[in-house]
Structure formats: C-alpha cells, structure tokens
Amino acid sequence: MAGHGGARNRSGPTASPTSARSDARDVRAKKLPVGGYDGDFPPLSQLLPDAVDREGAVWADLWRTPQAGQWIKEEWRHRTVAMYVRWLVRAEDPEATAATITAAQRLADQIGMTPAGLRENGWLIVADDSTTHPEQQQKHEAAKSRGAARTNGGGRRMRSVPDGG
C-alpha cells in the first residue's frame, strides 16, 4: 500500500544551518551568490525541441538566477528546469487549471525557486561579499559560539540548578 511508513520529503523539522546541532553534524547550507549565474547554459532546444518564444525567454531569465549556478553543476536537473519552464508558461495563461498551476509550483520547489525549495535543496542566497566581508564573518562566528554555548557538547541542552544544590 502506498503512503504508509518510511521517511518522506519535508517530513519533520528541517535542519537549520545556524543551529549548534547542525554545526556539530556539519550541516551547512550551500551559499548561492545573490548576483546570479553569468556563465553559459544549455540551449532549450536540446531539451524542448518544440519550445515557443515565451519559453525561450523564461529559460534565459532563469539561467541568470542564483540557483542556476547549482543547476549548471548538476546536469541531471536541466530537464526538470526545462519542464518547469513549460509548466510555468502554461500557468501564466489566465485559463490555466489548478492542476497546471500545481505542477508549476511543485517543479519550482524541486529546482529551488521557492523558499521551501531552497531549504529542501540546502541552498541559501547570500550577498556576493558576505562570505568575505569581515562584519558578516563576525556575525557568523558570534552565532556559532552562541549556539555551542547552549549545549553541553553532547547535543543536550544545559539547565540551571538551584543554588542549594
């Protein structure tokens, strides 16, 4: 029977890249530059030979987003991005059905175009200079030390004990 037992996508709380527990498990978000991707990208005609002009325009726009920097490294995602383009253009039609809009939304999540999709992929969009900017580094180190101070090193929270003992 489908739908019984086992882990599911988005089941339970997601790992927070800023928590002490995530630091201990080395869970870190992949930082994507807010400036986007400016390299070459595959032609849409290889994936959707019958693409219309609007799909070509959306495809080109998508490949300038921060997420595209990851897509280019993961060739297996290219077809999913192309399908997102197809369904997104269909969803733009005022007569689009709920099923069409839902399909576009699910694909948007898969390729990281929504906040939920970014979390699911373990991506974080950051200012281009935040990884080298001293102020940002200080904030990151302070957050890391605050997180480490809240646990006893074994992952369990510390609690106060009355003075009497």
Side-chain angles (χ1 to χ4, degrees), residues 19 37 111 130 148:
S19 74
Y37 176 70
I111 64 172
S130 68

Side-chain angles (χ1 to χ4, degrees), residues 30-91:
K30 173 70 178 165
K31 294 178 181 173
L32 307 178
V34 73
Y37 176 70
D38 63 358
D40 293 333
F41 53 89
L44 181 59
S45 61
Q46 287 181 350
L47 300 158
L48 297 176
D50 60 341
V52 298
D53 288 344
R54 176 66 184 144
E55 290 170 338
V58 171
W59 177 258
D61 286 345
L62 282 175
W63 280 97
R64 296 298 168 225
T65 64
Q67 295 87 329
Q70 283 303 113
W71 301 335
I72 200 68
K73 297 174 188 174
E74 302 168 341
E75 195 171 317
W76 57 269
R77 283 192 196 259
H78 296 179
R79 185 157 308 280
T80 307
V81 176
M83 292 312 305
Y84 170 64
V85 167
R86 168 110 340 139
W87 285 100
L88 179 62
V89 169
R90 288 178 180 175

Side-chain angles (χ1 to χ4, degrees), residues 6-25:
R8 290 180 175 73
N9 192 15
R10 297 188 196 170
S11 174
T14 58
S16 169
T18 59
S19 74
R21 183 172 184 200
S22 292
D23 279 345
R25 294 181 353 210

